[in-house]
Amino acid sequence: MSSIVITGASSGIGKATAKHFAEQGWNVAATMRTPEKETELTNIDNVSIYQLDVSDPKSINSAAQQITGDLGKVDALLNNAGYGSYGILEATPEEKIRRQFDVNVIGLLLDTQAFLPNMREHGSGVIVNVSSVGGKVAFPLGTLYHGTKWAVEGLSEALSFELATVGINVKIVEPGGVKTNFGTTSFDLNVEGSPEAYNPLVEKFVAGVGAVDIPSEASDIAKVIYTAVTDGTNQLRYIAGSDAEQLIGARKQMADADFLGLIKQQLGL
């Protein structure tokens, strides 16, 4: 039976993906910061719960050692854990800047490092990194979040070269808007204490986000992730969601000034 390790499996895309792979007969190592709070995945026979906090290197290494010991062979790793920090950079505390990159970038790299020896020794494996439509296009107030997702895009592409030499595929999944807790517990808006000069931008951004139609369910993204893991190809990027297809398509076709002007127009800037 094939096995997959999933970070950030307590909710949203991570939980939906854990369920989907389990339904397909995979052994699933579902990791999360607070496994004691999980009540749903614990009822699925081929899902095992592990404590893993991607912002804590000791937690990552401990979980990797335990999981590889239990599973023997890890066939796939889904680096899904992450959150979005938005706001006015001038008013964002340094600790929030560092935490955004610690979770979305450094944590992903350290998690990958921890499981790579197992895959390399077996000469096979698939690593899927969850990026975002925000890894290809950027929106106002997203300096930190987009910075991390653009980093995920670059590091994944570069990593694909070296890991291909040892039989491991790297994949990137780019979801658009998803009906998850990203807009609540996984969304950190830093506007408190911002200079008043930024107020019009903040107000228009908040209003614009509230009016966005979110087309995809987490289960829709889980199916794309499953395809990325199992299709047996060397395809690098997988766009997930009709809105992501439209935005990324427009970004490819339009000049910088035209695309950025379009975003400004939509937000009334």
Side-chain angles (χ1 to χ4, degrees), residues 121-135:
E121 288 165 7
H122 288 96
S124 65
V126 180
I127 297 171
V128 178
N129 294 330
V130 176
S131 176
S132 164
V133 64

Side-chain angles (χ1 to χ4, degrees), residues 151-168:
V152 168
E153 293 276 341
L155 68 87
S156 298
E157 186 167 322
L159 188 61
S160 69
F161 290 106
E162 65 190 75
L163 295 189
T165 66
V166 293
I168 301 170

Side-chain angles (χ1 to χ4, degrees), residues 147-184:
T148 63
K149 290 304 183 182
W150 285 43
V152 168
E153 293 276 341
L155 68 87
S156 298
E157 186 167 322
L159 188 61
S160 69
F161 290 106
E162 65 190 75
L163 295 189
T165 66
V166 293
I168 301 170
N169 282 336
V170 176
K171 310 286 185 114
I172 306 168
V173 171
E174 301 163 336
V178 184
K179 296 171 184 175
T180 68
N181 65 348
F182 185 84
T184 54

Side-chain angles (χ1 to χ4, degrees), residues 95-115:
E95 59 268 24
K96 290 203 172 190
I97 296 173
R98 293 189 179 279
R99 182 172 184 269
Q100 176 73 120
F101 280 84
D102 280 344
V103 172
N104 288 13
V105 180
I106 305 301
L108 180 150
L109 288 169
L110 294 180
D111 193 56
T112 300
Q113 269 191 330
F115 287 97

